Amino acid sequence: MQASNQTAPQANKETLSSYPTPTVKRRLISMVYELLLAFAVLFLPFLVFEVATGASHTPLVEHMRQALAFIVLGIYFIHQWSRKGQTLAMQTWRIRVVMADGSPLPMKAAVLRYLLSWMWVLPALVLDYALQLQRWHALYAIFAGILLWSLTAFFTRDRQFLHDKLAGTRLIQLPKPVKTAATPARS
């Protein structure tokens, strides 16, 4: 059950800090999967919220809805990163977040990383609001912001995104799990 913890070989004394950085492509694909999982994480809290507010769309309720998403996602990501350094999507793609020296993330670093990770979309959201962009234009601005932020990985030697550099964290690529020989069935 603890397969993600067993992927780091202890026998050869290799530290997590020496693991390679996942490719930008791999991290972006993992983020798409993460987005799908985020919808699942938000489903129940949003269902309860919509029932409680009568699915109102007043400005106050819209802001409360945004705050709810920010808080629920924060609890999910901060808990997963500080607990074992991986969300479900990161486990699937064998990616782990660690401190720059390879040590596990303390809660404080996980909180900082979560807040800084909003830089993927925050500038675009501010631009959307300032220019009152609607529908496709707003979506294009968000995609452009994500594209520009992903390019920050190419400005560092170790290909870490800017929010990881600022938080003192890094993403590492874990090796493929070692396959164990199947035990023959007894008759």
Side-chain angles (χ1 to χ4, degrees), residues 8-142:
Q10 285 84 17
N12 63 6
K13 309 266 193 250
E14 187 175 20
T15 64
L16 290 176
S17 63
S18 66
Y19 279 35
T21 301
T23 64
V24 172
K25 178 181 174 184
R26 185 178 194 90
R27 288 179 278 169
L28 292 176
I29 292 170
S30 174
M31 287 172 54
V32 170
Y33 184 29
E34 200 74 73
L35 182 64
L36 296 174
L37 294 173
F39 284 123
V41 168
L42 291 171
F43 179 77
L44 186 59
F46 267 65
L47 179 64
V48 170
F49 181 82
E50 295 303 323
V51 169
T53 63
S56 173
H57 290 284
T58 64
L60 175 62
V61 173
E62 289 294 335
H63 291 303
M64 290 170 57
R65 194 174 282 116
Q66 292 166 356
L68 177 64
F70 179 80
I71 291 166
V72 169
L73 290 175
I75 291 168
Y76 169 72
F77 284 112
I78 292 164
H79 172 73
Q80 293 297 325
W81 292 337
S82 62
R83 191 178 106 209
K84 58 183 175 179
Q86 295 176 295
T87 61
L88 182 58
M90 293 168 81
Q91 288 175 36
T92 302
W93 287 93
R94 296 186 334 272
I95 297 171
R96 182 177 292 163
V97 62
V98 295
M99 295 303 294
D101 64 0
S103 62
L105 251 64
M107 181 73 69
K108 186 176 179 181
V111 170
L112 180 60
R113 185 176 194 267
Y114 176 70
L115 294 174
L116 290 171
S117 70
W118 277 95
M119 293 306 295
W120 281 90
V121 294
L122 189 60
L125 294 175
V126 169
L127 186 66
D128 287 350
Y129 180 76
L131 299 178
Q132 298 180 355
L133 299 178
Q134 299 294 318
R135 297 188 181 144
W136 289 108
H137 296 288
L139 196 56
Y140 292 148
I142 291 171

Side-chain angles (χ1 to χ4, degrees), residues 113-181:
R113 185 176 194 267
Y114 176 70
L115 294 174
L116 290 171
S117 70
W118 277 95
M119 293 306 295
W120 281 90
V121 294
L122 189 60
L125 294 175
V126 169
L127 186 66
D128 287 350
Y129 180 76
L131 299 178
Q132 298 180 355
L133 299 178
Q134 299 294 318
R135 297 188 181 144
W136 289 108
H137 296 288
L139 196 56
Y140 292 148
I142 291 171
F143 283 139
I146 291 170
L147 175 67
L148 291 172
W149 194 263
S150 66
L151 293 176
T152 64
F154 296 101
F155 294 110
T156 62
R157 187 173 28 120
D158 60 353
R159 296 286 191 245
Q160 295 295 324
F161 291 125
L162 184 57
H163 67 280
D164 280 310
K165 285 301 221 187
L166 295 174
T169 60
R170 65 185 296 261
L171 292 175
I172 58 171
Q173 178 68 53
L174 298 174
K176 290 183 180 181
V178 177
K179 294 188 180 196
T180 57

